[in-house]
């Protein structure tokens, strides 16, 4: 059972990950994906490679990722678009914090998982599997 300080008002549990908070459900979803990939599931291997690749630039410099959006903020004139940018960036930041604790993943690992997925099965997950993976936050 988590300590009282770790439970948020909305009922989710926070977990420190290399000194950065990450939601337990995101961490669990990532760890489950990684476990399936290591077990030889080609779809999971492809999704793991996609996840690592998608978080590569975020995790290179997590402290400056959100600040780097200033360039895009200056270009956007519509308030609704700015809100979407902020929401998408915050979601990506949170999701990537759960990917190996926000660690920088060597690009060789990304290409290795893509190669393993290609060797073990289909290049892209089936629609039903993709929908399930996206619902879990990965894909």
């Amino acid at each position: 059972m988590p300590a009282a300080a770790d439970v948020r008002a909305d009922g989710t549990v926070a977990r420190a990950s290399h000194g950065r908070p990450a939601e337990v459900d995101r961490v669990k979803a990532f760890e489950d994906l990684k476990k399936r990939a290591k077990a030889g599931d080609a779809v999971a291997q492809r999704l793991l490679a996609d996840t690592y690749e998608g978080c590569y630039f975020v995790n290179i410099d997590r402290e400056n990722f959100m600040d780097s959006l200033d360039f895009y903020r200056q270009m956007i004139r519509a308030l609704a678009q700015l809100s979407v940018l902020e929401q998408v960036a915050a979601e990506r930041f949170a999701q990537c914090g759960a990917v190996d604790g926000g660690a920088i993943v060597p690009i060789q690992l990304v290409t290795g998982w893509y190669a393993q997925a290609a060797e073990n099965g289909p290049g892209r997950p089936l629609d039903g599997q993709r929908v399930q993976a996206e619902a879990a936050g990965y894909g």
Side-chain angles (χ1 to χ4, degrees), residues 15-23 26-27 30-31 51 55 58-59 62 65 89-103 138:
R15 169 178 145 175
S17 191
H18 292 285
R20 295 176 293 275
E23 294 179 26
R26 290 181 195 274
V27 172
F30 175 75
E31 293 300 328
T51 300
C55 290
V58 175
N59 288 346
R62 291 188 57 80
F65 171 72
E91 175 63 26
R92 174 57 58 109
F93 186 81
Q95 186 168 345
C96 291
V99 174
D100 287 340
Y138 297 96

Side-chain angles (χ1 to χ4, degrees), residues 33 43-56 92 110 113-114 123-125 138-139:
L33 174 64
V43 172
Q45 290 169 340
R46 174 63 189 231
L47 290 172
L48 183 61
D50 288 346
T51 300
Y52 277 144
E53 184 177 46
C55 290
Y56 185 79
R92 174 57 58 109
V110 176
W113 279 116
Y114 278 129
R124 292 297 298 167
Y138 297 96

Side-chain angles (χ1 to χ4, degrees), residues 107-131:
I107 200 69
Q108 297 83 356
L109 188 59
V110 176
T111 56
W113 279 116
Y114 278 129
Q116 193 65 48
E119 186 177 308
N120 288 340
R124 292 297 298 167
L126 301 173
D127 287 338
Q129 291 168 317
R130 185 177 314 123
V131 169

Side-chain angles (χ1 to χ4, degrees), residues 24-117:
V24 170
D25 56 340
R26 290 181 195 274
V27 172
K28 183 178 180 339
F30 175 75
E31 293 300 328
D32 289 347
L33 174 64
K34 193 172 177 181
K35 183 178 179 180
R36 291 192 327 269
K38 287 182 176 183
D41 180 332
V43 172
Q45 290 169 340
R46 174 63 189 231
L47 290 172
L48 183 61
D50 288 346
T51 300
Y52 277 144
E53 184 177 46
C55 290
Y56 185 79
F57 289 105
V58 175
N59 288 346
I60 283 179
D61 190 356
R62 291 188 57 80
E63 288 75 26
N64 291 316
F65 171 72
M66 296 300 280
D67 292 336
S68 70
L69 298 173
D70 283 340
F71 172 76
Y72 297 105
R73 286 182 191 108
Q74 293 171 7
M75 294 176 51
I76 295 175
R77 301 287 180 234
L79 192 56
Q81 289 178 337
L82 185 58
S83 175
V84 170
L85 171 70
E86 296 291 339
Q87 183 179 2
V88 168
E91 175 63 26
R92 174 57 58 109
F93 186 81
Q95 186 168 345
C96 291
V99 174
D100 287 340
I104 300 169
V105 176
I107 200 69
Q108 297 83 356
L109 188 59
V110 176
T111 56
W113 279 116
Y114 278 129
Q116 193 65 48

